[in-house]
Amino acid sequence: MIDVPEELVLNLSDHGGAAGRAFAGALPALAGRFLEEWGLRPDGAPMSGMCALVLPVVRVDGGSPAALKLQPVDEETVGEPVALRAWGAAGAGVVGLLEHDAATGAMLLERLDERRPLAGVADARAAVRVLAGSLARLVRVPAPPGMRRLGDAAVRMVEGAPGAVAGLADEGERRLLLDCAAAVREVAGDPGDRLLHWDLHDGNVLAGRAEEGREGEWVVIDPKPLSGDPGFELFPALSNRFDASEVLWRFDLLSGTLGLDRERARAWTLGRVLQNGLWGVGGGARRLPGEHAEIARRLLGRG
């Protein structure tokens, strides 16, 4: 039997309700099924993210290490194997996909060194430079057909902005969110067609393993992919290890490394503040997260 981390059970319940609790309860049996079907044996303690169980495993037929990833299939996760294949074919620096079961979303992935995330690099600027290089490789790849689209999300964000603004308690934050919506409205007609990760922060980059020929390489994991403008990718690197004095330096480095138009990148980054604000107010929040509001103020020249 596989022990499912309690934190994962709570996350699945909080975010998925009854369906999340049912998925958590089914995880031991699901893990057992794929250990048998794919000829795997456990090789370490289970790990988890926000919604996924990851089991270090060894392939019985050849003894090679791998990682079994089990997560609910939803609009954010359904495109992950498609994106990994597209990026892998382009040599874009992502974790290798070895097996995939479409019905359950189960994936067998290349094993990386989970003990060495980019988050462990003490120099925050060095970490941001790695993120910028990783993003530049990822966004060179066009989105495959069928990927969820930033254009659709932009329409929903602009339409939902008035209701979210009305739910905020602070007048300054209400004006800020309206300005974010106005920025998105300016670029929404040209949402882009690149393959985006959406959640590239320094916890989603791990060191490669020498056994896999990736010693010294930083490898991207855990995308929530969509088709869109690369400017929508910058926000996690601005909010992760937040430092208000570094926002503009990071933004300039990222937009410059990716070769983006600065004003379009600014608008799409403000779109991420808007998106998070919509989610927060929808969940009962009455204030914007302080770091998100500060990023918006700095990008709007008010910091």
Side-chain angles (χ1 to χ4, degrees):
M1 288 289 289
I2 300 298
D3 291 325
V4 180
E6 185 62 28
E7 182 179 7
L8 176 59
V9 174
L10 293 174
N11 286 339
L12 287 167
S13 179
D14 288 345
H15 293 279
R21 289 189 291 275
F23 183 81
L27 274 172
L30 191 63
R33 170 188 163 184
F34 285 103
L35 289 172
E36 180 177 356
E37 286 189 14
W38 288 343
L40 312 169
R41 62 174 173 80
D43 187 41
M47 299 173 288
S48 65
M50 184 59 67
C51 67
L53 178 69
V54 180
L55 300 176
V57 295
V58 169
R59 305 183 87 167
V60 175
D61 59 359
S64 59
L68 176 62
K69 183 176 183 179
L70 306 172
Q71 63 187 357
V73 178
D74 57 28
E75 67 171 3
E76 289 190 351
T77 63
V78 68
E80 181 172 354
V82 179
L84 291 179
R85 289 192 186 103
W87 282 320
V94 299
V95 63
L97 177 65
L98 308 177
E99 302 277 0
H100 171 236
D101 180 74
T104 64
M107 290 180 285
L108 188 66
L109 301 170
E110 168 192 5
R111 179 95 68 89
L112 301 172
D113 189 348
E114 73 280 356
R115 300 164 301 174
R116 294 176 56 212
L118 183 60
V121 172
D123 185 339
R125 284 197 168 193
V128 173
R129 289 188 180 98
V130 172
L131 292 174
S134 295
L135 285 172
R137 290 189 293 274
L138 296 179
V139 302
R140 284 200 297 263
V141 178
M147 199 64 60
R148 64 185 179 130
R149 300 181 301 179
L150 175 58
D152 298 333
V155 170
R156 292 193 297 269
M157 285 190 284
V158 171
E159 290 178 347
V165 168
L168 292 173
D170 180 78
E171 176 60 29
E173 291 182 4
R174 289 196 289 269
R175 290 195 301 269
L176 195 63
L177 209 61
L178 284 172
D179 288 339
C180 290
V184 173
R185 196 176 294 113
E186 289 294 317
V187 294
D190 183 15
D193 65 353
R194 300 290 92 186
L195 183 55
L196 309 184
H197 183 287
W198 188 80
D199 192 30
L200 193 61
H201 54 76
D202 59 13
N204 277 340
V205 182
L206 300 179
R209 291 164 53 96
E211 298 92 328
E212 307 298 325
R214 302 186 82 162
E215 186 174 13
E217 183 178 351
W218 289 110
V219 183
V220 171
I221 64 169
D222 203 24
K224 304 292 185 289
L226 72 161
S227 170
D229 189 293
F232 204 60
E233 291 280 64
L234 310 188
F235 181 83
L238 304 180
S239 61
N240 186 229
R241 289 203 236 185
F242 179 72
D243 182 337
S245 68
E246 291 282 278
V247 168
L248 293 181
W249 180 88
R250 293 184 189 184
F251 179 79
D252 288 342
L253 173 75
L254 291 159
S255 57
T257 302
L258 273 64
L260 305 181
D261 176 89
R262 195 176 188 279
E263 287 307 303
R264 286 185 58 81
R266 182 180 74 105
W268 283 119
T269 303
L270 293 172
R272 292 295 290 267
V273 177
L274 174 61
Q275 185 179 61
N276 289 328
L278 290 170
W279 288 339
V281 171
R286 297 276 288 157
R287 297 292 304 269
L288 296 178
E291 296 174 359
H292 299 185
E294 185 61 25
I295 288 170
R297 283 191 286 266
R298 298 266 170 167
L299 292 180
L300 289 165
R302 301 171 191 170

